Amino acid sequence: GVAAASFFPLHRSFFPLDFTRTMASAMVTDVSTSEALMVGPHSSNSSQKGKVSSGQPKITFRRIPVPAHRMTPLKNSWMDLYVPVTSRMNLLMRMNLVKKCVELKMPKVNVENSTSTTSEGGKAKQAKPPPEPSALQKCADFVAAFLLGFEVRDALALLRLDDLYVERFEVKDVKTLRGEHMARCIGRLAGRNGATRFTLENATRTRIVVADTHIHILGSYANIRVARDAICSLILGSPPSKVFARLRAAAARLN
């Protein structure tokens, strides 16, 4: 009703009507591209082989499910996510309130007219360039990182840099803990007022999210490895002072 229409007001006019149909999978290929993949040397449609442009990406749609506890933060920060995806990466983005997920789609770009200019109100306007082939994956990682608990300004680095990743694991993957032992372990990871986590982030140049028993690390491959080793040592019961001593030596090697 009214609440659904006013939740994300900017997504309706950016999609054609056929995009509102229900799609069965999380990643859907474009119709023209899927037909091109079916064309082979023994196919009856081999005459259509040259009709599909080679520059068109194979996967043109992504769907990122939104957990229930992240729906309100997503609503509050929607414009901070929407503007970089649509303006900088030139993708289409909307919120599907029925399926509770964020949907990303590559726009249909006419390669011949992508560099031409159009006139609106007597002023020449440069047409938008086609998105990069990796834009869909970058935007999906960007939205997924925010839904994991990272701040928007930290997740934006996934759009700017190519060598950043998000690693996820649980405390039980390192050691099986129950009851108060689990609570003390999470307390060692966070520290008083988050001091231990902030020290790990500054020393390894990463961003760490501790969500219950789930741990998420955002950074480069080498920095994630150093942060993961330090977190595993804390989970196994090492004192923070000993972990920080080893962390300083590892951070000096990285720098």
Side-chain angles (χ1 to χ4, degrees):
V2 178
S6 60
F7 191 22
F8 300 111
L10 297 178
H11 75 277
R12 295 185 180 276
S13 60
F14 288 89
F15 288 86
L17 294 178
D18 56 350
F19 183 62
T20 59
R21 298 175 182 175
T22 304
M23 298 182 180
S25 60
M27 295 182 296
V28 181
T29 57
D30 188 59
V31 176
S32 59
T33 309
S34 60
E35 291 177 355
L37 296 176
M38 295 172 60
V39 174
H42 303 290
S43 174
S44 61
N45 297 329
S46 58
S47 61
Q48 302 177 357
K49 193 171 182 179
K51 292 185 178 180
V52 180
S53 61
S54 59
Q56 194 77 2
K58 295 181 180 180
I59 298 176
T60 60
F61 178 81
R62 285 290 179 92
R63 178 180 290 138
I64 303 100
V66 180
H69 68 284
R70 295 297 295 174
M71 186 64 71
T72 299
L74 178 63
K75 177 181 177 181
N76 296 333
S77 303
W78 176 254
M79 291 306 301
D80 296 333
L81 299 171
Y82 182 86
V83 172
V85 171
T86 57
S87 300
R88 183 181 303 172
M89 306 303 290
N90 296 329
L91 295 184
L92 304 178
M93 178 179 176
R94 75 171 185 179
M95 178 66 194
N96 191 328
L97 296 176
V98 178
K99 294 182 178 294
K100 299 292 189 296
C101 61
V102 177
E103 296 176 345
L104 302 172
K105 186 184 179 184
M106 297 282 286
K108 293 183 179 180
V109 179
N110 189 354
V111 180
E112 298 178 355
N113 299 329
S114 60
T115 58
S116 62
T117 58
T118 59
S119 178
E120 293 183 2
K123 296 182 180 179
K125 182 180 179 182
Q126 185 72 22
K128 284 188 177 182
E132 300 178 359
S134 61
L136 189 62
Q137 181 63 45
K138 285 184 177 181
C139 293
D141 295 340
F142 166 61
V143 177
F146 173 79
L147 296 178
L148 288 176
F150 293 99
E151 295 184 7
V152 177
R153 59 183 180 182
D154 297 331
L156 274 173
L158 292 169
L159 300 180
R160 300 186 181 125
L161 303 175
D162 295 331
D163 58 344
L164 294 184
Y165 309 93
V166 176
E167 181 165 341
R168 296 174 282 178
F169 62 95
E170 297 185 45
V171 174
K172 66 180 182 181
D173 297 335
V174 181
K175 186 178 182 180
T176 303
L177 299 172
R178 296 182 180 88
E180 295 182 357
H181 298 286
M182 177 65 74
R184 283 195 291 268
C185 174
I186 296 175
R188 285 197 302 272
L189 294 178
R192 180 176 294 180
N193 296 327
T196 302
R197 182 174 66 87
F198 293 149
T199 303
L200 291 175
E201 290 180 344
N202 295 331
T204 60
R205 296 181 180 179
T206 58
R207 289 295 178 265
I208 301 172
V209 171
V210 181
D212 196 14
T213 61
H214 299 267
I215 300 169
H216 314 297
I217 308 175
L218 169 64
S220 63
Y221 178 79
N223 294 342
I224 286 177
R225 183 179 60 181
V226 174
R228 184 185 62 236
D229 293 342
I231 290 174
C232 291
S233 298
L234 291 173
I235 293 175
L236 293 174
S238 298
S241 58
K242 184 180 293 187
V243 174
F244 291 156
R246 292 198 299 264
L247 192 60
R248 282 193 291 268
R253 289 195 300 269
L254 286 177
N255 297 332

